[in-house]
Amino acid sequence: MKCALTGHRVLGKDFPRGALEEDLKKLILQGADTFYCGMALGFDLLCCEILVSLKTEWPVKIVACVPCADQSARYPYEMRRLYEDLLRECDEKIVLHEHYEEGCMFERNRRMVDECDVLFAYLRSNRGGTRYTVSYALKKGKKVVYFENKEDKT
């Protein structure tokens, strides 16, 4: 089963990494063996980092879906290093454009949804790229599984 990942770029300091890891394990146990990651800051990179660590226990494949080759150019230094380290750990890399182009992030999101069987989403807002991606997946009849951060409800 192919699973695409989408979520917000800004995560709280107390974001529950352990709960996210448990949900990713559940997806693997339900048959997810390929994960499409958009490599954006926040949720994407955290999922990728967890999946890289899970590869030691589970036969999963990580596909980096990169909207443009210079995606990380404006990332803070530490995040750019993490991005590059994780990109090297991915099993496959799909690069849609050499340089940033208007709409390339949405193009990347549609590509991931088109490739997947299920979308794993961390959605807290009714606007932005994550909302767009979830809406697109639902319109395409894809199954959407939501990560629910219990701290968002307090």
Side-chain angles (χ1 to χ4, degrees):
M1 175 172 56
K2 297 176 184 176
C3 179
L5 309 164
T6 189
H8 301 292
R9 287 190 173 99
V10 178
L11 304 177
K13 286 182 182 179
D14 297 328
F15 188 86
R17 179 189 175 104
L20 179 58
E21 183 173 335
E22 289 306 311
D23 278 9
L24 289 168
K25 284 180 184 177
K26 284 179 194 170
L27 286 166
I28 293 168
L29 290 170
Q30 293 168 5
D33 58 3
T34 303
F35 291 86
Y36 289 84
C37 181
M39 303 302 288
L41 291 173
F43 189 76
D44 287 7
L45 288 185
L46 182 55
C47 284
C48 189
E49 191 174 12
I50 291 168
L51 287 166
V52 165
S53 71
L54 291 177
K55 283 176 68 168
T56 62
E57 304 170 49
W58 308 90
V60 296
K61 176 180 175 182
I62 305 168
V63 180
C65 292
V66 179
C68 51
D70 55 356
Q71 177 181 15
S72 67
R74 291 197 170 120
Y75 288 6
Y77 176 74
E78 286 300 317
M79 288 293 102
R80 191 168 52 249
R81 283 190 50 205
L82 175 63
Y83 172 94
E84 291 165 1
D85 290 346
L86 292 173
L87 198 56
R88 280 191 291 278
E89 295 291 331
C90 290
D91 300 287
E92 187 179 333
K93 182 169 69 169
I94 300 168
V95 180
L96 299 179
H97 299 279
E98 191 61 32
H99 300 287
Y100 176 83
E101 294 182 19
E102 188 173 336
C104 69
M105 305 293 180
F106 291 115
E107 180 182 349
R108 178 232 13 231
N109 296 344
R110 289 189 302 271
R111 171 80 178 261
M112 291 193 314
V113 168
D114 290 343
E115 295 286 336
C116 80
D117 301 301
V118 62
L119 178 67
F120 182 57
Y122 176 48
L123 179 65
R124 299 179 316 199
S125 174
N126 278 327
R127 55 186 199 149
T130 302
R131 165 50 65 197
Y132 172 87
T133 306
V134 168
S135 296
Y136 182 77
L138 292 170
K139 186 171 90 171
K140 289 289 194 171
K142 303 287 182 162
K143 178 180 179 182
V144 178
V145 174
Y146 295 94
F147 174 71
E148 293 191 28
N149 180 355
K150 308 300 184 246
E151 279 128 36
D152 285 346
K153 296 183 177 12
T154 59

